[in-house]
Amino acid sequence: MSHLIDKTDFPIFNDKSLVYLDSASTSQKPKVVLDTIKKVYEHSNANVHRALYDLGSRSTELYESSRKTVSQFINAPSSKEVIFTSGTTASMNLLSYSLESRLEKDDEILISHMEHHANIVPWQQLSKRIGIKLKYLPLTKSGDIDLENSRRYFTDRTKIVSITHMSNVLGTINPIKKIAKMAKSIGAVYIIDGAQSVSHMPVDVQDLECDFLAFSGHKMLGPTGVGVLWGKMDLLNELDPFLSGGEMIEKVTLETSTWNEVPYKFEAGTPNYVQAIGMGEAIKYLSNIGMENVYNYEKKLTSYALKKLQEIPNIKIYGTPEKRGGVISFNIKGIHPQDLSQFLNEDNICLRVGHHCAQPLLKTLNETSTARVSFYIYNDFSDIDKLVDSINSTISYF
Ligand code: 7TS
């Protein structure tokens, strides 16, 4: 299979020379998603959950229907467990505040050395607020979480375990079901950062046995400004809200307030309903392809890219994880990644260079910067050939 989708579905590729290899940062959007957003603003725009007129009922219906689409996509037991946020970062911040009342000084939160800053910094801030300890699971040389040597990190003080499903730097797909067992055995709340996985492989929250899953719409063909926090209903019922204000309340008096039911308790103010509707449309597009097909197609692209990249002289590819998704980080001896990016840009090739918001991971790699390519459904084998040709011409120049 040389193509998974019709590339003309994506207006940005009207520029035929564009080689977009930065989908781990953000994905491109199909026309159906862009059209849906425009259509909502043109025909169904009214604030949700408050307007009693028909227009308001239409926007509320579309918003709630998108919640159902998300919920089915991750096989959530109930669509009420789907909270719309502005993205993975917002979902993690919500958790770091809402879980605070369950923690005491010297309790432990366990993450890993391969986390994105979004799954590090909110916990560090929580640690500053209440004095919890943040611990990091070590990595093996190949870029996997070293579970063999990790048992001792799971203690009776570990209250939260929060792990990325897939690394945005090494592409490592973590054995999160195994980690779920370890987290459950000590009674910890188990959070999965699905920013890089939900868009690229089938994800079933019931199968994964997690308590929370965070992900972003913009990385899965949807618009910016919308993401999801899924959580188990009993936990969501227990947790305090994070943001407060309109619509998240049941009753407000001059003295105090009570909370609306889940998920609205966590959606204070006017929600990002148009983006959420756009995200629902993106999920329908992905579901029509089938997430298993998405995963297998990207696996082929990644194997091909690894083979071609390995042929480049003086290249160092980081990590050879047991299971890898469509992300590859590398450096070429004698060429700074920033220079490489500038040269590739001349050929209209987009890739990210830098620390990829994962500075602790880069430190374990002994680097401050790498070049990174990341694939999605609209990439094909010719993109990889163009990348490799362009890298080789850059090497010749240097
Ligand atoms: N977690 C992981 C694993 C990520 O890769 C990212 C974004 C986030 C959390 C945060 O997502 P956001 O939508 O809230 O920003 N990763 C990247 C990246 O690799 N390059 O740019 C953003």
Side-chain angles (χ1 to χ4, degrees), residues 24-25 87-89 116 118 164 168 193 195-196 216 218-219 352 372:
S25 289
T88 307
T89 304
H116 185 279
T164 189
N168 67 318
D193 173 351
Q196 296 293 344
S216 300
H218 71 99
K219 291 191 200 286
R352 184 172 173 191
R372 179 191 71 180

Side-chain angles (χ1 to χ4, degrees), residues 45-58:
N45 185 46
N47 210 333
V48 292
H49 298 145
R50 60 202 87 189
L52 291 181
Y53 41 83
D54 283 354
L55 199 61
S57 310
R58 276 214 297 282

Side-chain angles (χ1 to χ4, degrees), residues 172 291 316 332 397:
T172 315
M291 292 311 291
K316 179 166 186 187
I332 292 163
Y397 180 87

